[in-house]
Coordinates of all heavy atoms in Angstrom, one line a residue:
M1 N -39.8 59.1 257.3 CA -38.6 58.5 257.6 C -38.2 59.1 258.9 O -38.2 60.4 259.1 CB -37.7 58.7 256.4 CG -36.3 58.0 256.6 SD -35.0 58.5 255.5 CE -35.2 57.2 254.4
E2 N -37.6 58.2 259.7 CA -37.0 58.5 261.0 C -35.5 59.3 260.8 O -34.8 58.9 259.9 CB -36.9 57.3 261.8 CG -36.4 57.5 263.2 CD -36.3 56.1 263.9 OE1 -37.2 55.3 263.7 OE2 -35.4 56.0 264.7
E3 N -35.3 60.3 261.7 CA -34.0 61.0 261.5 C -32.8 60.0 261.9 O -33.0 59.3 262.8 CB -34.0 62.3 262.3 CG -32.8 63.1 262.2 CD -32.7 64.3 263.0 OE1 -33.8 65.0 263.1 OE2 -31.6 64.6 263.7
S4 N -31.7 60.2 261.3 CA -30.6 59.3 261.6 C -30.1 59.7 262.9 O -29.9 60.8 263.2 CB -29.6 59.7 260.5 OG -28.2 59.1 260.8
Q5 N -29.7 58.6 263.7 CA -29.0 58.9 265.0 C -27.6 59.4 264.8 O -27.1 60.2 265.6 CB -29.0 57.5 265.7 CG -30.3 57.0 266.3 CD -30.2 55.8 267.0 OE1 -29.4 54.8 266.6 NE2 -30.9 55.6 268.2
L6 N -27.0 59.0 263.7 CA -25.7 59.5 263.5 C -25.6 61.0 263.2 O -24.7 61.7 263.8 CB -25.1 58.7 262.2 CG -23.6 58.7 262.1 CD1 -22.8 58.4 263.4 CD2 -23.0 57.9 260.9
I7 N -26.6 61.4 262.6 CA -26.6 63.0 262.1 C -26.8 63.6 263.5 O -26.3 64.7 263.9 CB -27.7 63.3 261.3 CG1 -27.4 62.8 259.9 CG2 -28.1 64.7 261.3 CD1 -28.5 62.9 258.8
G8 N -27.7 63.1 264.4 CA -27.9 63.7 265.8 C -26.6 63.8 266.6 O -26.3 64.8 267.2
I9 N -25.8 62.7 266.7 CA -24.6 62.6 267.4 C -23.6 63.7 266.6 O -22.9 64.5 267.4 CB -23.9 61.3 267.3 CG1 -24.7 60.2 268.0 CG2 -22.6 61.2 267.7 CD1 -24.5 58.8 267.9
I10 N -23.5 63.8 265.4 CA -22.6 64.7 264.8 C -23.0 66.1 265.1 O -22.2 67.0 265.4 CB -22.5 64.4 263.3 CG1 -21.7 63.2 263.0 CG2 -21.8 65.6 262.5 CD1 -21.7 62.7 261.5
N11 N -24.2 66.4 265.2 CA -24.8 67.7 265.3 C -24.3 68.1 266.8 O -24.0 69.3 267.1 CB -26.3 67.9 265.2 CG -26.7 67.9 263.8 OD1 -25.8 68.3 262.9 ND2 -27.9 67.6 263.4
R12 N -24.5 67.3 267.7 CA -24.0 67.5 269.1 C -22.6 67.8 269.2 O -22.1 68.6 270.0 CB -24.5 66.4 270.0 CG -26.0 66.3 270.3 CD -26.3 65.3 271.4 NE -25.9 65.8 272.6 CZ -25.9 65.0 273.8 NH1 -26.3 63.7 273.7 NH2 -25.4 65.5 274.9
L13 N -21.8 67.0 268.5 CA -20.3 67.1 268.5 C -20.0 68.5 267.8 O -19.1 69.2 268.4 CB -19.7 65.9 267.8 CG -19.9 64.6 268.4 CD1 -19.3 63.4 267.5 CD2 -19.2 64.6 269.8
K14 N -20.7 68.9 266.8 CA -20.4 70.2 266.1 C -20.7 71.3 267.0 O -19.9 72.3 267.2 CB -21.2 70.4 264.9 CG -20.6 69.6 263.7 CD -21.6 69.9 262.5 CE -21.0 69.5 261.2 NZ -22.1 69.7 260.1
A15 N -21.7 71.2 267.9 CA -22.1 72.3 268.8 C -21.1 72.4 269.8 O -20.9 73.5 270.2 CB -23.5 71.8 269.3
M16 N -20.4 71.3 270.3 CA -19.3 71.5 271.3 C -18.2 72.3 270.6 O -17.7 73.0 271.4 CB -18.8 70.0 271.5 CG -19.9 69.2 272.3 SD -19.5 67.5 272.6 CE -18.2 67.7 273.8
Q17 N -17.9 72.1 269.4 CA -16.9 72.8 268.7 C -17.2 74.3 268.6 O -16.4 75.2 268.9 CB -16.6 72.4 267.3 CG -15.8 71.1 267.1 CD -15.7 70.7 265.8 OE1 -16.1 71.3 264.8 NE2 -14.9 69.7 265.5
E18 N -18.5 74.6 268.3 CA -18.9 76.0 268.2 C -19.0 76.7 269.5 O -18.8 77.9 269.6 CB -20.3 76.0 267.5 CG -20.2 75.5 266.0 CD -21.5 75.2 265.4 OE1 -22.6 75.5 266.1 OE2 -21.5 74.8 264.3
D19 N -19.3 75.9 270.6 CA -19.4 76.5 271.9 C -18.2 76.6 272.7 O -18.0 77.0 273.8 CB -20.5 75.7 272.8 CG -21.9 75.8 272.2 OD1 -22.1 76.8 271.5 OD2 -22.8 75.0 272.6
A20 N -17.1 76.0 272.1 CA -15.9 75.8 272.8 C -15.3 77.2 273.3 O -15.1 78.2 272.5 CB -14.8 75.2 271.9
G21 N -15.0 77.3 274.6 CA -14.4 78.4 275.1 C -13.1 78.0 275.8 O -12.4 77.1 275.4
D22 N -12.8 78.8 277.0 CA -11.5 78.3 277.6 C -11.7 77.0 278.3 O -10.8 76.3 278.4 CB -11.2 79.5 278.7 CG -10.9 80.8 277.9 OD1 -10.5 80.8 276.8 OD2 -11.2 81.8 278.7
E23 N -12.8 76.7 278.8 CA -13.1 75.5 279.6 C -13.9 74.5 278.7 O -14.8 74.8 278.0 CB -14.1 75.8 280.8 CG -13.5 76.6 281.9 CD -12.2 75.9 282.5 OE1 -12.3 74.7 282.9 OE2 -11.2 76.6 282.8
P24 N -13.3 73.3 278.7 CA -14.0 72.2 277.9 C -15.3 71.9 278.5 O -15.5 72.0 279.7 CB -13.1 71.0 278.1 CG -11.8 71.5 278.7 CD -12.1 72.8 279.3
Q25 N -16.4 71.7 277.6 CA -17.8 71.4 278.1 C -18.1 70.0 277.7 O -18.1 69.6 276.5 CB -18.6 72.4 277.4 CG -18.6 73.8 277.8 CD -19.6 74.7 277.1 OE1 -20.5 74.1 276.4 NE2 -19.3 76.0 277.2
P26 N -18.2 69.2 278.7 CA -18.5 67.7 278.5 C -19.9 67.6 278.1 O -20.9 68.4 278.5 CB -18.2 67.0 279.9 CG -18.3 68.0 280.8 CD -17.9 69.4 280.2
R27 N -20.2 66.6 277.3 CA -21.6 66.1 276.9 C -21.8 64.7 277.3 O -20.9 63.9 277.1 CB -21.9 66.3 275.4 CG -21.9 67.7 275.0 CD -22.9 68.6 275.5 NE -23.0 69.9 274.8 CZ -22.3 70.9 274.9 NH1 -21.3 70.9 275.7 NH2 -22.4 72.0 274.1
R28 N -22.9 64.3 277.9 CA -23.2 63.0 278.3 C -24.1 62.4 277.3 O -25.1 63.0 276.8 CB -23.8 63.0 279.7 CG -22.8 63.2 280.8 CD -23.4 63.3 282.1 NE -22.4 63.6 283.1 CZ -21.8 64.8 283.4 NH1 -22.2 65.9 282.7 NH2 -20.9 64.9 284.4
F29 N -23.8 61.2 276.9 CA -24.8 60.3 276.1 C -25.4 59.2 276.7 O -24.6 58.5 277.5 CB -23.9 59.9 274.8 CG -23.6 61.1 274.0 CD1 -22.4 61.8 274.3 CD2 -24.2 61.3 272.8 CE1 -22.0 62.8 273.5 CE2 -23.7 62.4 272.0 CZ -22.6 63.2 272.3
E30 N -26.7 59.0 276.6 CA -27.3 57.9 277.3 C -28.3 57.1 276.3 O -28.6 57.5 275.3 CB -28.2 58.5 278.5 CG -29.2 59.6 278.0 CD -29.9 60.1 279.1 OE1 -29.3 60.7 280.1 OE2 -31.2 60.2 279.2
V31 N -28.7 55.9 276.8 CA -29.6 55.1 276.2 C -30.7 54.7 277.4 O -30.2 54.3 278.4 CB -28.9 53.7 275.7 CG1 -30.0 52.9 275.2 CG2 -27.8 54.1 274.7
N32 N -31.8 55.0 277.0 CA -33.0 54.6 277.9 C -32.8 55.2 279.3 O -33.1 54.6 280.3 CB -33.2 53.1 278.0 CG -33.6 52.6 276.6 OD1 -34.3 53.2 275.9 ND2 -33.2 51.4 276.3
G33 N -32.3 56.5 279.4 CA -32.1 57.1 280.7 C -30.8 56.7 281.4 O -30.6 57.1 282.5
V34 N -30.0 55.7 280.9 CA -28.7 55.3 281.5 C -27.6 55.9 280.7 O -27.4 55.7 279.6 CB -28.7 53.8 281.5 CG1 -27.4 53.4 282.2 CG2 -29.8 53.1 282.3
E35 N -26.7 56.7 281.6 CA -25.6 57.3 280.9 C -24.6 56.2 280.4 O -24.3 55.3 281.1 CB -24.9 58.2 281.8 CG -25.7 59.5 282.2 CD -25.0 60.4 282.9 OE1 -23.7 60.2 283.3 OE2 -25.6 61.4 283.4
Q36 N -24.1 56.3 279.2 CA -23.2 55.4 278.6 C -21.8 55.9 278.5 O -20.9 55.2 278.5 CB -23.7 54.9 277.1 CG -25.1 54.2 277.3 CD -25.2 53.0 278.0 OE1 -24.2 52.1 277.8 NE2 -26.2 52.8 278.9
A37 N -21.8 57.3 278.2 CA -20.5 57.9 277.9 C -20.5 59.3 278.2 O -21.5 59.9 278.1 CB -20.0 57.5 276.5
Q38 N -19.3 59.9 278.2 CA -19.1 61.2 278.3 C -18.1 61.8 277.1 O -17.1 61.1 277.1 CB -18.7 61.8 279.6 CG -18.3 63.2 279.7 CD -18.0 63.6 281.1 OE1 -18.9 63.7 281.9 NE2 -16.8 64.0 281.2
V39 N -18.5 62.8 276.5 CA -17.5 63.2 275.4 C -17.1 64.8 275.9 O -18.0 65.6 276.2 CB -18.0 63.3 273.9 CG1 -17.1 63.8 273.0 CG2 -18.4 61.9 273.6
T40 N -15.9 65.1 275.7 CA -15.3 66.4 276.0 C -14.5 66.9 274.8 O -13.7 66.1 274.3 CB -14.4 66.4 277.2 OG1 -15.1 65.9 278.4 CG2 -14.0 67.8 277.6
Y41 N -14.9 68.1 274.3 CA -14.0 68.7 273.2 C -13.1 69.7 273.8 O -13.3 70.5 274.7 CB -14.9 69.5 272.3 CG -14.2 70.1 271.1 CD1 -13.6 69.3 270.2 CD2 -14.1 71.5 271.1 CE1 -12.9 69.9 269.1 CE2 -13.4 72.1 270.0 CZ -12.8 71.3 269.0 OH -12.1 71.9 268.1
H42 N -11.8 69.5 273.4 CA -10.7 70.4 273.8 C -10.3 71.2 272.7 O -9.7 70.8 271.7 CB -9.4 69.6 274.2 CG -9.9 68.4 275.3 ND1 -9.9 68.7 276.6 CD2 -10.3 67.2 275.2 CE1 -10.2 67.7 277.4 NE2 -10.6 66.7 276.4
S43 N -10.7 72.6 272.9 CA -10.4 73.6 271.8 C -8.8 73.8 271.5 O -8.6 74.1 270.4 CB -11.2 74.8 272.0 OG -10.8 75.5 273.1
E44 N -8.2 73.8 272.6 CA -6.7 74.1 272.5 C -6.0 73.0 271.6 O -5.1 73.3 270.8 CB -6.0 74.2 273.7 CG -5.9 72.9 274.6 CD -7.1 72.7 275.4 OE1 -8.1 73.5 275.5 OE2 -7.3 71.6 276.1
T45 N -6.3 71.8 271.6 CA -5.8 70.7 270.8 C -6.7 70.2 269.7 O -6.3 69.4 268.9 CB -5.4 69.5 271.6 OG1 -6.7 69.0 272.3 CG2 -4.4 69.9 272.7
K46 N -8.0 70.7 269.6 CA -9.1 70.3 268.6 C -9.2 68.9 268.6 O -9.3 68.2 267.6 CB -8.6 70.9 267.2 CG -8.5 72.4 267.1 CD -8.3 72.7 265.8 CE -8.1 74.3 265.4 NZ -8.5 75.2 266.4
T47 N -9.4 68.2 269.9 CA -9.6 66.9 270.0 C -10.7 66.6 270.9 O -11.2 67.4 271.7 CB -8.3 66.1 270.6 OG1 -8.0 66.7 272.0 CG2 -7.0 66.3 269.7
Y48 N -11.2 65.4 270.8 CA -12.3 64.9 271.7 C -11.8 63.9 272.4 O -11.0 62.9 272.1 CB -13.5 64.3 270.7 CG -14.2 65.4 270.0 CD1 -13.8 65.6 268.6 CD2 -15.3 66.0 270.4 CE1 -14.5 66.4 267.8 CE2 -16.1 66.8 269.7 CZ -15.6 67.1 268.2 OH -16.4 68.0 267.5
T49 N -12.3 63.7 273.7 CA -12.1 62.6 274.5 C -13.4 61.9 274.8 O -14.4 62.5 275.1 CB -11.3 62.9 275.9 OG1 -12.1 63.9 276.6 CG2 -10.0 63.5 275.7
L50 N -13.4 60.6 274.8 CA -14.6 59.8 274.9 C -14.2 58.9 276.2 O -13.3 58.1 276.0 CB -14.9 59.0 273.7 CG -15.9 57.8 273.8 CD1 -17.3 58.5 274.2 CD2 -16.0 57.1 272.5
D51 N -15.0 59.0 277.1 CA -15.0 58.0 278.3 C -16.2 57.2 278.3 O -17.3 57.7 278.6 CB -14.9 58.9 279.6 CG -13.6 59.6 279.7 OD1 -12.6 59.0 279.6 OD2 -13.6 60.9 279.7
E52 N -16.0 55.9 278.1 CA -17.2 55.0 278.1 C -17.3 54.4 279.6 O -16.3 54.0 280.2 CB -16.9 53.7 277.3 CG -16.9 54.1 275.8 CD -16.7 52.9 274.9 OE1 -16.8 51.7 275.4 OE2 -16.5 53.1 273.7
Y53 N -18.5 54.6 280.2 CA -18.6 54.1 281.4 C -18.7 52.6 281.7 O -17.9 52.3 282.7 CB -20.0 54.8 282.0 CG -20.1 56.2 282.0 CD1 -21.3 56.8 281.8 CD2 -18.9 56.9 282.3 CE1 -21.3 58.2 281.8 CE2 -19.0 58.3 282.3 CZ -20.2 59.0 282.1 OH -20.3 60.4 282.1
Q54 N -19.3 51.7 280.9 CA -19.4 50.4 281.3 C -18.0 49.7 281.1 O -17.7 48.8 281.9 CB -20.4 49.8 280.4 CG -21.8 50.1 280.7 CD -22.9 49.4 280.1 OE1 -22.7 48.6 279.1 NE2 -24.2 49.5 280.4
G55 N -17.5 50.1 280.0 CA -16.1 49.4 279.8 C -14.9 50.1 280.4 O -13.8 49.6 280.3
K56 N -15.2 51.2 281.0 CA -14.2 52.0 281.7 C -13.0 52.3 280.8 O -11.9 52.1 281.1 CB -13.8 51.3 282.9 CG -14.9 51.3 284.1 CD -14.3 50.9 285.4 CE -15.3 51.0 286.4 NZ -16.4 50.0 286.6
E57 N -13.3 52.7 279.5 CA -12.3 52.9 278.5 C -12.2 54.5 278.3 O -13.1 55.1 278.4 CB -12.6 52.1 277.2 CG -12.5 50.6 277.3 CD -12.7 49.9 276.2 OE1 -11.6 49.8 275.4 OE2 -13.8 49.3 275.9
H58 N -11.0 54.9 277.8 CA -10.8 56.3 277.5 C -10.3 56.3 276.2 O -9.2 55.6 275.8 CB -9.9 56.8 278.5 CG -9.5 58.3 278.3 ND1 -10.2 59.3 278.7 CD2 -8.4 58.8 277.7 CE1 -9.8 60.5 278.3 NE2 -8.6 60.2 277.8
F59 N -10.9 57.1 275.3 CA -10.2 57.3 273.9 C -10.0 58.8 273.6 O -10.8 59.6 274.0 CB -11.3 56.8 272.9 CG -11.6 55.3 273.1 CD1 -12.8 55.0 273.7 CD2 -10.9 54.3 272.6 CE1 -13.2 53.7 273.8 CE2 -11.2 53.0 272.7 CZ -12.3 52.6 273.4
E60 N -9.1 59.1 272.7 CA -8.9 60.4 272.2 C -9.0 60.4 270.6 O -8.6 59.5 270.0 CB -7.6 61.0 272.7 CG -7.5 61.3 274.1 CD -6.1 61.9 274.5 OE1 -5.6 62.6 273.8 OE2 -5.7 61.6 275.6
F61 N -9.7 61.4 270.0 CA -10.0 61.4 268.7 C -9.7 62.9 268.1 O -10.0 63.9 268.9 CB -11.5 61.1 268.4 CG -11.9 59.8 268.6 CD1 -12.5 59.6 270.0 CD2 -11.6 58.8 267.8 CE1 -12.9 58.3 270.2 CE2 -12.1 57.5 268.1 CZ -12.9 57.3 269.4
D62 N -9.0 63.0 266.9 CA -8.8 64.2 266.4 C -9.7 64.3 265.1 O -9.5 65.3 264.3 CB -7.4 64.5 266.0 CG -6.8 63.5 265.1 OD1 -7.6 62.6 264.6 OD2 -5.7 63.7 264.7
N63 N -10.7 63.5 265.0 CA -11.6 63.4 263.9 C -13.0 63.3 264.3 O -13.4 62.3 265.0 CB -11.2 62.3 262.9 CG -11.9 62.2 261.7 OD1 -13.1 62.1 261.7 ND2 -11.3 62.4 260.5
I64 N -13.9 64.2 263.9 CA -15.2 64.3 264.4 C -16.1 63.0 263.9 O -16.8 62.4 264.6 CB -16.0 65.5 264.1 CG1 -17.3 65.6 264.7 CG2 -16.2 65.4 262.5 CD1 -18.0 67.0 264.6
D65 N -15.7 62.4 262.8 CA -16.3 61.2 262.3 C -16.0 60.1 263.1 O -16.9 59.2 263.3 CB -16.0 61.0 260.7 CG -16.4 62.1 259.8 OD1 -17.6 62.6 260.0 OD2 -15.7 62.3 258.8
L66 N -14.8 59.9 263.4 CA -14.3 58.7 264.2 C -15.0 58.7 265.7 O -15.5 57.7 266.1 CB -12.9 58.7 264.4 CG -12.1 58.4 263.1 CD1 -10.6 58.6 263.3 CD2 -12.4 57.2 262.3
V67 N -15.1 59.8 266.4 CA -15.7 59.8 267.5 C -17.3 59.7 267.4 O -17.9 58.9 268.3 CB -15.4 61.1 268.3 CG1 -16.1 62.4 267.8 CG2 -15.9 60.9 269.8
A68 N -17.9 60.1 266.3 CA -19.2 59.9 266.1 C -19.5 58.4 265.8 O -20.5 57.9 266.4 CB -19.7 60.8 264.8
I69 N -18.7 57.7 265.0 CA -18.9 56.3 264.8 C -18.8 55.5 266.0 O -19.6 54.6 266.3 CB -17.9 55.9 263.8 CG1 -18.2 56.4 262.3 CG2 -17.8 54.3 263.6 CD1 -17.2 56.3 261.3
E70 N -17.8 55.9 266.8 CA -17.6 55.1 268.2 C -18.8 55.3 269.0 O -19.3 54.3 269.8 CB -16.3 55.6 268.9 CG -15.8 54.8 270.0 CD -15.6 53.4 269.8 OE1 -14.9 53.1 268.6 OE2 -15.7 52.6 270.7
L71 N -19.2 56.4 269.2 CA -20.5 56.8 270.1 C -21.7 56.0 269.4 O -22.4 55.4 270.2 CB -20.7 58.3 270.0 CG -20.1 59.1 271.1 CD1 -20.3 60.6 270.8 CD2 -20.8 58.7 272.4
F72 N -21.8 56.0 268.2 CA -23.0 55.4 267.4 C -23.0 54.0 267.8 O -24.0 53.4 268.2 CB -23.0 55.6 266.0 CG -24.1 55.0 265.2 CD1 -25.4 55.5 265.2 CD2 -23.8 53.8 264.6 CE1 -26.5 54.9 264.5 CE2 -24.8 53.1 263.9 CZ -26.1 53.6 263.9
E73 N -21.9 53.3 267.7 CA -21.6 51.9 267.9 C -22.0 51.7 269.4 O -22.7 50.6 269.7 CB -20.3 51.3 267.5 CG -20.2 51.3 266.0 CD -18.7 50.7 265.6 OE1 -17.9 50.6 266.5 OE2 -18.6 50.6 264.5
L74 N -21.5 52.4 270.3 CA -21.7 52.2 271.8 C -23.2 52.4 272.1 O -23.8 51.5 272.8 CB -20.9 53.3 272.5 CG -21.3 53.3 274.0 CD1 -20.7 52.0 274.7 CD2 -20.6 54.6 274.6
L75 N -23.9 53.4 271.5 CA -25.2 53.6 271.8 C -26.4 52.7 271.2 O -27.3 52.4 271.7 CB -25.7 55.0 271.5 CG -24.7 56.2 272.2 CD1 -25.1 57.6 271.7 CD2 -25.0 56.1 273.7
T76 N -25.9 52.2 270.0 CA -26.8 51.2 269.4 C -26.6 49.8 269.8 O -27.5 49.0 269.4 CB -26.7 51.4 267.8 OG1 -25.4 51.2 267.4 CG2 -27.2 52.7 267.3
N77 N -25.5 49.4 270.4 CA -25.2 48.0 270.7 C -25.7 47.8 272.2 O -25.4 46.7 272.7 CB -23.8 47.7 270.6 CG -23.5 47.6 269.1 OD1 -24.3 47.3 268.2 ND2 -22.2 48.0 268.7
N78 N -26.3 48.7 272.8 CA -26.7 48.5 274.2 C -28.3 48.3 274.2 O -29.0 48.8 273.5 CB -26.4 49.7 275.1 CG -24.9 49.7 275.5 OD1 -24.4 48.6 275.6 ND2 -24.2 50.6 275.6

């Protein structure tokens, strides 16, 4: 059985929380080598920001599940 893409996304988001220091560390997400979005974790507010490149949209989340679902939908619909 193939590993779930959603679990991989959540693991990357959790790693951002664990690696959080003074400076937010952005992570880029891509499909077939094309960047689709960037996520940044802000430790001081415990929030994620998601910037979608194609739609030029910006979202803020305070829940890891919600940002993971949004990323999953973005990455699997392209």
Side-chain angles (χ1 to χ4, degrees):
M1 180 190 266
E2 184 176 324
E3 184 177 320
S4 167
Q5 289 180 318
L6 193 54
I7 290 173
I9 291 170
I10 289 174
N11 287 341
R12 287 187 70 190
L13 296 173
K14 280 181 166 178
M16 292 173 73
Q17 287 180 346
E18 294 166 3
D19 293 343
D22 294 336
E23 294 292 319
Q25 294 183 8
R27 299 287 196 281
R28 290 176 178 79
F29 291 81
E30 59 183 50
V31 175
N32 299 323
V34 178
E35 290 184 9
Q36 300 295 317
Q38 176 175 290
V39 176
T40 305
Y41 179 70
H42 305 276
S43 60
E44 65 279 355
T45 59
K46 297 184 181 355
T47 59
Y48 292 92
T49 56
L50 168 63
D51 293 302
E52 291 184 11
Y53 296 147
Q54 288 186 355
K56 295 187 170 85
E57 295 186 80
H58 176 84
F59 302 97
E60 291 188 30
F61 298 94
D62 61 358
N63 182 300
I64 194 171
D65 293 327
L66 296 177
V67 70
I69 291 168
E70 186 68 30
L71 271 169
F72 178 78
E73 289 177 354
L74 173 69
L75 299 174
T76 57
N77 289 331
N78 285 324

